Amino acid sequence: MMCDDARLLLHAYLDNELDAAQSVAVVRHMQSCPSCAASFADYTKLREGMARASLYRRAPDALRKQWSAEKPAPPAVQPARARRAPVALAMAAGFAAAVAMAAPLWFLTAHRSGDTAQWANEAISSHIRSMQPQHLVDVVSTDQHTVKPWFDGKLDFSPRVKDLASLGFPLVGGRLDALGGRDVAALIYKRRLHIINLYQWPVTSSDTSPSTTQMHGYAAIQWTADRMHFVAVSNVSENDLRQFVQDFQDDSVTPLMR
């Protein structure tokens, strides 16, 4: 974790708003970074100072009486407004009809947007957890003919595995993981010194184009193809991650077949 990423998370860590993986990453960073540790100490002192009882005073009784005084009753409705009621009701009915017609599309859009953000958030959290010692790979191999058969019997689907070493993305291995309460396949690739986690699982939805989410210094690109959903996560540059996705999608690069 870089200092820029840690500074964005210090306040959330102080307020216990981070998940376990992010909290561990922040703590480890502060252990090796005196600057961020000092900033966190300053934030802690400020929070404690703002919570001191000596900073607060009881409001004067006269002011408290004004706050609790009964508010005057609203004026009676005039007859002229009663005559406008049919027009108001008609406008309200028209507005309600418009909302009802637009609601299915709005709900679908919001639901899909929420799913996209949820998968990105869970995949990035999983990627961070995988960086911990002994969590990255279950099967260590640069050979797709070793990695793909390893998943047999461990998942209810056969993951798509490609050898992209000639394109600058060598395969490192694979592991079992879980996103959204279901088992998924995680393939691990490298880009120089950076790790790329590629998650995949079967879906019933139609194909979608790649969409990118940026969060805490990490990028997540997800798409659906051939009834499989994919999420690629890394802290490489977004251009490099996009290139990885393009190479993985390229049909001229033949995946391992059974």
Side-chain angles (χ1 to χ4, degrees):
M1 175 177 288
M2 306 298 291
C3 287
D4 290 342
D5 301 327
R7 292 193 186 101
L8 292 174
L9 299 176
L10 287 179
H11 286 289
Y13 175 73
L14 182 62
D15 294 333
N16 293 320
E17 295 175 349
L18 300 181
D19 59 27
Q22 291 174 323
S23 296
V24 170
V26 170
V27 170
R28 288 183 175 176
H29 177 78
M30 287 194 293
Q31 290 174 345
S32 61
C33 179
S35 177
C36 289
S39 296
F40 181 74
D42 290 340
Y43 298 153
T44 303
K45 291 179 180 178
L46 179 61
R47 182 181 183 181
E48 293 174 350
M50 294 297 293
R52 291 176 183 172
S54 59
L55 296 178
Y56 300 90
R57 296 289 185 273
R58 187 177 186 277
D61 291 338
L63 182 58
R64 295 175 67 87
K65 288 181 180 180
Q66 291 181 11
W67 289 345
S68 59
E70 293 184 2
K71 297 181 180 180
V77 177
Q78 299 299 322
R81 293 189 177 181
R83 288 195 296 268
R84 295 194 188 100
V87 177
L89 289 174
M91 294 177 63
F95 177 76
V99 170
M101 293 176 63
L105 179 59
W106 171 86
F107 177 81
L108 181 60
T109 303
H111 181 68
R112 288 178 176 174
S113 176
D115 283 351
T116 299
Q118 174 190 350
W119 291 128
N121 183 52
E122 291 200 26
I124 290 174
S125 295
S126 176
H127 175 84
I128 295 174
R129 288 194 300 271
S130 74
M131 295 296 101
Q132 299 177 24
Q134 309 302 320
H135 282 72
L136 184 60
V137 292
D138 291 332
V139 52
V140 181
S141 178
T142 59
D143 184 3
Q144 59 178 328
H145 298 277
T146 299
V147 174
K148 184 178 178 70
W150 180 86
F151 286 101
D152 289 349
K154 300 177 177 68
L155 295 170
D156 58 358
F157 64 93
S158 180
R160 191 181 190 192
V161 183
K162 282 191 173 185
D163 182 3
L164 304 177
S166 62
L167 300 174
F169 300 100
L171 179 67
V172 176
R175 73 175 183 279
L176 292 177
D177 213 311
L179 295 178
R182 72 147 298 145
D183 292 334
V184 302
L187 303 179
I188 300 92
Y189 291 85
K190 292 191 69 174
R191 179 64 164 177
R192 294 182 289 274
L193 298 179
H194 299 275
I195 294 295
I196 299 175
N197 270 291
L198 177 63
Y199 303 91
Q200 55 181 292
W201 64 93
V203 293
T204 58
S205 55
S206 56
D207 292 359
T208 60
S209 301
S211 62
T212 304
T213 302
Q214 293 281 355
M215 192 179 301
H216 307 315
Y218 296 90
I221 300 179
Q222 54 186 310
W223 73 98
T224 301
D226 299 327
R227 303 297 182 182
M228 292 286 287
H229 193 75
F230 300 87
V231 186
V233 182
S234 183
N235 63 346
V236 297
S237 68
E238 185 175 334
N239 288 337
D240 278 353
L241 192 58
R242 287 184 180 277
Q243 186 61 55
F244 168 79
V245 171
Q246 292 177 8
D247 291 341
F248 190 86
Q249 290 180 310
D250 189 354
D251 291 335
S252 64
V253 182
T254 306
L256 175 65
M257 303 301 292
R258 284 183 177 274

